[in-house]
Amino acid sequence: MKGTALWAVLLPLLVADLGPATMEARAQTVEVFSTFMPEVQDPSHEAGLSTVIVSARVAEVPRASESGAASTVLLRNRNHRVWTDVRMEGAKVLFQADPLIKIGDSLTVRVLGGETSSVRMRVHAEPNFVVGERYILCLTDVDTVTAASGPPHWRPVDGSFGAFLVTPDGLQRKGIDPKPWLTLRGVLLDLYRGAGSQKAADSRSMWRNRPRGIPATGG
């Protein structure tokens, strides 16, 4: 799909040789680079694929030494994938496409990458959240990689392109923008324009049959 990272294609190739025996013997470091279509630079694109858009603060970024901090999934093709579930608090809903999904004060945002006792995985196009930071997040309940694993969760649309760090100097997509340059007003206008379009509604409808990280009832 246009605007979607190609890491889903690259990841199996990069980690194909990491079998169970190798993983147990020593920690492996895997780096994944992503390729995006040009339209992801426009915030309205991320908004168009969002189930919800929220403002929230990073409350907890678990470490691998803690229980459930990062998990490794052994897939049928014997590839390993790592994710970290980041807890956000103080969530304020700016847009909600699905009225059946309940958004509370706290929510879980899953980012690909992290560190376990057996593997360290860095995905360059995924947000690098730090406790205390506040973001405007374009989130989707569609998760084509790890939906069946772990607790209910959200995924940032197009990785770092859908995570806008709020700073005194403006908004910044960490790892994408060299410095804050986006204005809050400008980003919100782009997000609302993108989220409310018919094209966005069609895109979200098309994704409904994909694996989901959040149950339809929000439970």
Side-chain angles (χ1 to χ4, degrees), residues 33-104:
F33 296 87
S34 306
T35 301
F36 290 86
M37 301 298 287
E39 55 262 37
V40 303
Q41 292 283 353
D42 183 353
S44 64
H45 174 82
E46 280 69 47
L49 295 176
S50 299
T51 307
V52 296
I53 300 174
V54 302
S55 169
R57 177 178 56 82
V58 181
E60 182 182 11
V61 181
R63 296 182 180 275
S65 59
E66 300 175 19
S67 176
S71 301
T72 303
V73 184
L74 183 59
L75 302 178
R76 285 177 296 180
N77 60 3
R78 300 175 67 85
N79 294 332
H80 291 76
R81 300 179 184 184
V82 175
W83 72 83
T84 301
D85 286 338
V86 178
R87 182 166 59 86
M88 300 282 183
E89 290 185 344
K92 297 180 179 179
V93 178
L94 304 178
F95 170 81
Q96 184 171 346
D98 190 344
L100 296 179
I101 294 179
K102 299 176 182 178
I103 309 296

Side-chain angles (χ1 to χ4, degrees), residues 112-133:
L112 297 179
E115 183 174 347
T116 70
S117 60
S118 58
V119 62
R120 293 183 296 271
M121 181 174 288
R122 181 185 179 191
V123 183
H124 287 260
E126 289 287 297
N128 179 24
F129 292 122
V130 176
V131 172
E133 292 178 333

Side-chain angles (χ1 to χ4, degrees), residues 6-15 32-35:
L6 297 182
W7 55 257
V9 176
L10 297 176
L11 188 53
L13 298 177
L14 290 170
V15 298
V32 181
F33 296 87
S34 306
T35 301

Side-chain angles (χ1 to χ4, degrees), residues 175-188:
I176 305 297
D177 304 318
K179 62 181 181 180
W181 66 279
L182 299 161
T183 66
L184 178 60
R185 181 176 181 275
V187 167
L188 289 177

